[in-house]
Amino acid sequence: AQKVTQAQTEISVVEKEDVTLDCVYETRDTTYYLFWYKQPPSGELVFLIRRNSFDEQNEISGRYSWNFQKSTSSFNFTITASQVVDSAVYFCALSGDAGKSTFGDGTTLTVKP
Amino acid sequence: GAVVSQHPSWVICKSGTSVKIECRSLDFQATTMFWYRQFPKQSLMLMATSNEGSKATYEQGVEKDKFLINHASLTLSTLTVTSAHPEDSSFYICSAGTRERNTGELFFGEGSRLTVL
């Protein structure tokens, strides 16, 4: 069975602070994909990144960066110089061979001005 | 990128009525579609997996007679909530995948918010 754990339920930071959202996963699949999604108050899921299990390279996209550590089954997400518009619920998700996605419980990020 | 569209984006209905939600893949053929439900301040929970031309596979605890899923074509899957009750009020999201793009990526619809009075 697949499992995704986002231990941080809520995080509150002040604008311009850096913040890291943790994600730990469990799977028996040898090939799998990890995702991060942003869900603003309007509800739609905004795709942020996909990483497959064979690619452990870290990735940076603007103020966003991701650290994939297969040895610790973690896929953490860092926002640098956070902005108020970053306030949202962030979900980490895992998709295995069958294609079904298992989502973590989400981390609610509040960035205060 | 690929686009998945859901309709309606929100619906309010009376208890006991049935509501149909559509999920369309606009620029690719979706061999598999997934339906998720999200209660307020909770995560997305997979309800069922539908493959084009075959019966849907439901997750444990999801009533297949209450949540009817039809995936009659490669671009359309529908979820019908039959005899809806207030406890069915939720945010329903579909996602679609395709064998054409073997990247494991799934494309999510915008979601449909159901409120049952």
Side-chain angles (χ1 to χ4, degrees):
Chain A
Q2 298 177 348
K3 184 178 180 181
V4 176
T5 302
Q6 292 179 254
Q8 305 146 309
T9 304
E10 296 182 5
I11 300 176
S12 181
V13 299
V14 177
E15 206 169 20
K16 296 185 182 177
E17 285 185 14
D18 297 347
V19 59
T20 295
L21 310 181
D22 298 333
C23 174
V24 175
Y25 63 92
E26 295 176 29
T27 181
R28 292 181 181 175
D29 291 332
T30 52
T31 301
Y32 53 89
Y33 299 87
L34 295 162
F35 303 81
W36 275 96
Y37 295 93
K38 175 182 180 180
Q39 188 177 43
S42 52
E44 78 276 15
L45 282 177
V46 179
F47 168 80
L48 296 178
I49 190 172
R50 175 187 73 255
R51 175 65 78 232
N52 74 51
S53 52
F54 298 106
D55 181 2
E56 288 193 66
Q57 279 193 343
N58 293 328
E59 182 160 337
I60 298 175
S61 177
R63 296 184 297 108
Y64 296 167
S65 63
W66 292 269
N67 185 326
F68 177 27
Q69 299 259 349
K70 208 168 179 179
S71 59
T72 56
S73 298
S74 65
F75 187 43
N76 297 338
F77 171 34
T78 298
I79 301 175
T80 304
S82 59
Q83 300 176 0
V84 173
V85 294
D86 295 329
S87 297
V89 181
Y90 289 86
F91 289 100
C92 178
L94 168 69
S95 176
D97 289 343
K100 298 188 290 187
S101 289
T102 300
F103 284 77
D105 289 338
T107 297
T108 299
L109 173 64
T110 302
V111 181
K112 299 178 182 178
Chain B
V3 179
V4 173
S5 177
Q6 271 185 252
H7 178 80
S9 55
W10 58 270
V11 58
I12 301 173
C13 70
K14 292 183 178 180
S15 185
T17 60
S18 294
V19 174
K20 180 185 286 188
I21 301 170
E22 294 184 347
C23 179
R24 292 181 184 274
S25 57
L26 299 183
D27 60 353
F28 69 99
Q29 294 185 328
T31 47
T32 305
M33 286 187 172
F34 303 92
W35 286 95
Y36 295 84
R37 178 170 54 187
Q38 184 182 30
F39 291 111
K41 298 188 184 301
Q42 293 188 24
S43 186
L44 284 76
M45 299 301 295
L46 180 67
M47 299 174 66
T49 303
S50 73
N51 295 299
E52 186 266 336
S54 63
K55 290 184 179 180
T57 303
Y58 290 81
E59 296 298 303
Q60 192 172 10
V62 178
E63 300 173 61
K64 61 181 180 181
D65 293 331
K66 181 168 186 61
F67 298 100
L68 301 179
I69 292 173
N70 184 287
H71 192 162
S73 78
L74 285 171
T75 58
L76 174 65
S77 176
T78 60
L79 167 67
T80 301
V81 183
T82 62
S83 187
H85 291 283
E87 58 266 29
D88 299 323
S89 298
S90 185
F91 193 56
Y92 293 89
I93 304 177
C94 72
S95 69
T98 175
R99 297 191 192 103
E100 297 167 2
R101 310 183 192 191
N102 190 24
T103 64
E105 183 170 3
L106 293 175
F107 307 96
F108 282 84
E110 312 95 322
S112 301
R113 193 170 300 280
L114 171 64
T115 301
V116 184
L117 302 176

